[in-house]
Amino acid sequence: MSTAVPPPVADDIDVATLLDDPYATYARLHELGPVAWVPVLNRYLVTGFDACRAVEADEATFSADVRGGSATMARALGGRPMLRKDGAAHAEERTPINTPLRPKAIRATWLARFERNARTYLETLRARGPDDADLNRDFAGPLAAQNLVDMLGLPDATAEELARWSLAFIAGIGNLQDDPGIWARSDAAQQEVDAHLDALLPVLRRRPDASVTSALLHAGLDEATVRTNVKLTISGGMNEPQHTITAIVWALTDHPEQRERVLSDPSWWPRVVDETIRWQAPIGMYPRRTTRDCVLAGIALPAEASLGVVVGAANRDPAVFDRPDEFDIARTKRAHLGFGSGVHVCAGHWAARIAIGEVALPMLYDALPGLRTDPRRETTWFGWVFRGMTALPVTWGG
């Protein structure tokens, strides 16, 4: 029987480098092993694929109710949402939204809206023209926001409002330094969302609809819990679709042979979406807490340890993926962790797959022949906990 050993220490990690481009750091962590102590972050980073899966398979040992993070999330959202609960408490709040977010329900209820919204922002992008268009600003960001407005059933909210609320909530969730300016913005976002819900919830009580908000409301949850989980959905529901759209166009520009493959055979679009999320995970890390002394991938961990489950690194684990740093839509198909795993797997993953792979990307490439990154203007990436393109200038034609 193998003996558990102390974790290796990664004392050369630079946070600024992580924010700019984390993948060289992830390669260094893979060399150390599947779990490492990172002093600058004051937490253990779990980067091995199997180790990340093991964390999600054992809620009793690796709790989603994390120290510090749960408190800031509750402060930012006005209560502790399902994402920071385990077991039955999590299931009670998660189960109601599973039904409206299944593929059949999404196609029946939301597909036409996804198409309408994509057409709207396609015209915004086209109006900017091939010398000024930015895919993040003009299409991916507002499209992800409007789709979320519709799925939450917020009839009077705008995409611009939802995007602003999302940023305010995300900043609040990460406000471990207790910055009063960040709290002021998240408090204002809470008040604005609550004003919309004050008008909406009485209507939904009388006339349920297919929205996520209605599903939560009619599941027997108290109203405060409904409100908190609506705000949770606002905080996290934009990142994956927004950043996957931009990452796909960026990746296909740099891999023209793969772009031609999918444009000549649209059945490849689901593979493009999955490979992009594996390769450039929009949600790169989430926290967990150990509830007892334990062993993870042969590494001894103490009770009450703060963990970072780095799925962005796990998706490039060389022990699991051949040529992990390469973008290859034809690679041998296998599960990745870009949507998480276990009971906390992303609730909206089918909505994201359908909105991106069945609607947004085929429509973009059909409407704008020659769509590609514009080399005349700067492309920028940012982040590792949430990672995506903050600017993607695009051009077409020619």
Side-chain angles (χ1 to χ4, degrees), residues 46 50-59 62 288 296 307 309:
V46 184
D50 291 339
C52 288
R53 288 284 294 267
V55 168
E56 283 304 304
D58 186 358
E59 286 184 284
F62 304 103
R288 289 293 183 264
L296 176 62
L307 308 184
V309 183

